[in-house]
Amino acid sequence: MSPLVLVLNGPNLNLLGTREPATYGHETLADISALCARSAEEFGLAVEFRQTNHEGELLDWIHAARGRCAGIVINPAAWTHTSVAIRDALIASELPVIEVHLSNVHAREPFRHHSFVSAIATAVMAGFGSHGYRLALDYLSQRLKG
């Protein structure tokens, strides 16, 4: 059985493809989900891909991953800059966490430069577009192989 990786996406990412395409590109969240499924299969992983606009739901998913998943890839979106609760849940999961952002948050507005997740993440991918998800899954697969 392949190790299971939870791929989580935060608020407004359901609007990908139509929301600020100059910043986020034209790919939809469904396109990214398909990319993750193909990449996971290639890297010997299984993925659950989810998105929510409700912080409590995201927290519940992170809590449920503990002891069930081999790692978490997360694009917390706007919650990156605001949520200590998500940071604490990720720590409590005791799983490797890869933070992903489609855009280079460090080249954007100053409020986007701070992440509550980065300091506790195993790795951070920012500015690679959807390819950041593939890089995160590749990295986790290598890490899990030891």
Side-chain angles (χ1 to χ4, degrees), residues 79-139:
W79 292 324
T80 302
H81 322 292
T82 63
S83 183
V84 174
I86 290 172
R87 172 195 166 97
D88 290 349
L90 291 168
I91 291 169
S93 77
E94 299 181 341
L95 294 169
V97 172
I98 312 299
E99 180 182 0
V100 174
H101 298 285
L102 295 167
S103 67
N104 178 357
V105 293
H106 303 288
R108 298 184 61 196
E109 305 92 336
F111 71 86
R112 295 187 195 274
H113 298 180
H114 174 73
S115 168
F116 281 102
V117 176
S118 293
I120 59 94
T122 305
V124 178
M125 307 290 175
F128 291 98
S130 63
H131 191 65
Y133 288 84
R134 179 176 168 76
L135 292 169
L137 291 169
D138 185 17
Y139 176 79

Side-chain angles (χ1 to χ4, degrees), residues 5-89:
V5 175
L6 189 57
V7 179
L8 299 175
N9 296 277
N12 300 313
L13 292 174
N14 56 305
L15 300 176
L16 286 176
T18 58
R19 176 183 171 232
E20 299 178 65
T23 300
Y24 299 110
H26 293 281
E27 289 179 291
T28 66
L29 195 62
D31 294 332
I32 295 173
S33 177
L35 170 71
C36 287
R38 287 189 309 272
S39 299
E41 184 176 350
E42 178 183 341
F43 301 136
L45 301 170
V47 293
E48 280 183 23
F49 190 93
R50 299 180 181 182
Q51 185 276 331
T52 186
N53 293 318
H54 305 282
E55 187 175 13
E57 186 171 38
L58 187 70
L59 292 170
D60 290 342
W61 293 340
I62 295 167
H63 294 168
R66 184 179 173 156
R68 187 176 72 87
C69 296
I72 296 174
V73 172
I74 186 169
N75 182 342
W79 292 324
T80 302
H81 322 292
T82 63
S83 183
V84 174
I86 290 172
R87 172 195 166 97
D88 290 349

